Amino acid sequence: MNSQTYVTRHEIVMQPDDRRVVIKLFVPGEDHQMVQNRASNMIERILRLDDAETARLLEDVVNRFAGRHQDLLATFQHHYELVQHRVPAEVELSSTARHLIGAYFSHEFSVESAALCNPSMVPHPDQTEMAPDELRVAMSLRQIGEGHISSIGFCSAVLGPGDAIRLEDRSGPLVIGQRVGAMHWRNQLTAALIDEEIDNEASAYVVSALPDRFSDEEFEDVMTHIPAELLTRQTTQETLDHIRHIVSEDYAVGFPATTPLHQRVMWPATRAERNGMEDARFVQHLDPDGRLTYQGTYTAYDGYHIAGRVIFSRDLRHFEVTQLHGPAAKNKGMALFPRYVGGRKLALCRSDGETLGLSVRDAQHRWQPSVPLLVPHRGWDLIQVGNCGSPIETEAGWLVLTHGVGPMRRYGLGAMLLDLENPERVIADLPDGLLHPDEVEREGYVPNVLYSCGGLLHDGRLWIPYGASDVRIGFASVDLDELLSRMAPAGS
């Protein structure tokens, strides 16, 4: 039966907003045929300005841009500090001159000028002012700007009562998370060394010298006290360089408490993700100690290679980012279960590129080869299948939103049900899919694609935020019992 008869497509739609901009460092390109690079030449020209002109230019910049950004002068000062080595040592500059130099080394980047897509949805940490039948949700967004660079943004909405939904305010200046001191896991380092097949005396010494959790300072203390006998070995320096790179890929960022969720931007912070942080799948996770955390997997992209990452947060204000390791983490689209199942940490994955599988994390924090759950087998999904976010726990089983790709690379959404105690067992799936692009949704930056990174249940309804052809975000909902009644037993 046509999905339109039981799935509600809501009229509310999110469109990309070119006004959502951040300030990034801008350094003019270098011409190797010149004695000095362009950055030095530009600073020389700025230094020739008299005090009055310097003040006038800075005032003009502030008047034009202060309303679009928080702490504009602080950003200019930071960018000045990044290039101040090109200012002659004997030159003393006023704060006005420093800020102006910083302004010339700054530019705006519109984070979603190219596309806005692939949302996930979790309960918001702030439920104040909500009626008993309402739920405020936090949504992660894949926002794509110039150069196809992806970052992670956020917004909020209110679900209920019934099938009502409203978006909350998304205006105001954006803020990029600032790097803060990270606490690393020794078992994560061990897992990375296994992945890279590094096992020698230097690596063993470093791992043994570190505590279970260690700070950047503790790591540096170990690295600067390597025994001389090891330093003379031929492979030691290369090993230490590898270890430094591994640890540097795990980091933490934070936002001021006064910055609302919808103004927070997680921007690429390491070499592995310099071309994007793609398709974050957030879930509210119940830890074995009974505490709730937010966890989100995403794909780091450096322009050539992809790599799995996972985000941990208690409040969606402070985020810790670590690498995913093991055979099942080598492709896109991992989605974590919202709790341990039978003492096991589980995730959905698509490690072979076309099959939806189930992976378990071992004692060494490596995701093991997956058990196939769903293979391409119907006309609308014969190219590939995968998940559309973390499994959702229901009394009937783990409800999994899926995606399938058919002729003309047309993406649609489906659903399947896994056994609660043994998720390796598929109970049922939806024969004809759940949502497919309509005549409006099929048009866009990437045509004929519907894709979600995670929905949730509220008051008996399944809520699905989804990207439509990478240019807009739509919302659908369906009564859970009605959806389950339309599933066919596995194998039928």
Side-chain angles (χ1 to χ4, degrees), residues 77-196:
Q77 175 66 29
H78 175 61
H79 288 177
Y80 165 76
E81 291 169 359
L82 295 177
V83 299
Q84 67 177 333
H85 55 276
R86 298 198 178 277
V87 177
E90 68 276 9
V91 175
E92 294 187 9
L93 295 176
S94 65
S95 61
T96 300
R98 293 195 296 268
H99 289 150
L100 184 62
I101 291 174
Y104 276 101
F105 283 88
S106 301
H107 75 128
E108 287 188 330
F109 182 94
S110 181
V111 296
E112 57 191 57
S113 58
L116 183 68
C117 56
N118 301 355
S120 71
M121 182 182 282
V122 291
H124 198 291
D126 177 13
Q127 295 295 324
T128 58
E129 301 181 0
M130 292 293 101
D133 49 3
E134 292 181 329
L135 176 70
R136 177 177 286 121
V137 294
M139 290 171 50
S140 68
L141 312 170
R142 180 182 176 187
Q143 37 195 35
I144 306 173
E146 178 187 353
H148 204 77
I149 296 176
S150 300
S151 57
I152 300 174
F154 300 93
C155 70
S156 59
V158 176
L159 309 181
D163 64 356
I165 177 174
R166 71 178 189 273
L167 289 176
E168 296 194 301
D169 177 54
R170 202 163 80 97
S171 63
L174 301 183
V175 175
I176 293 176
Q178 295 298 305
R179 291 284 291 263
V180 295
M183 292 296 295
H184 307 275
W185 291 92
R186 183 173 65 179
N187 52 25
Q188 290 289 111
L189 174 58
T190 300
L193 292 171
I194 294 172
D195 273 359
E196 298 193 21

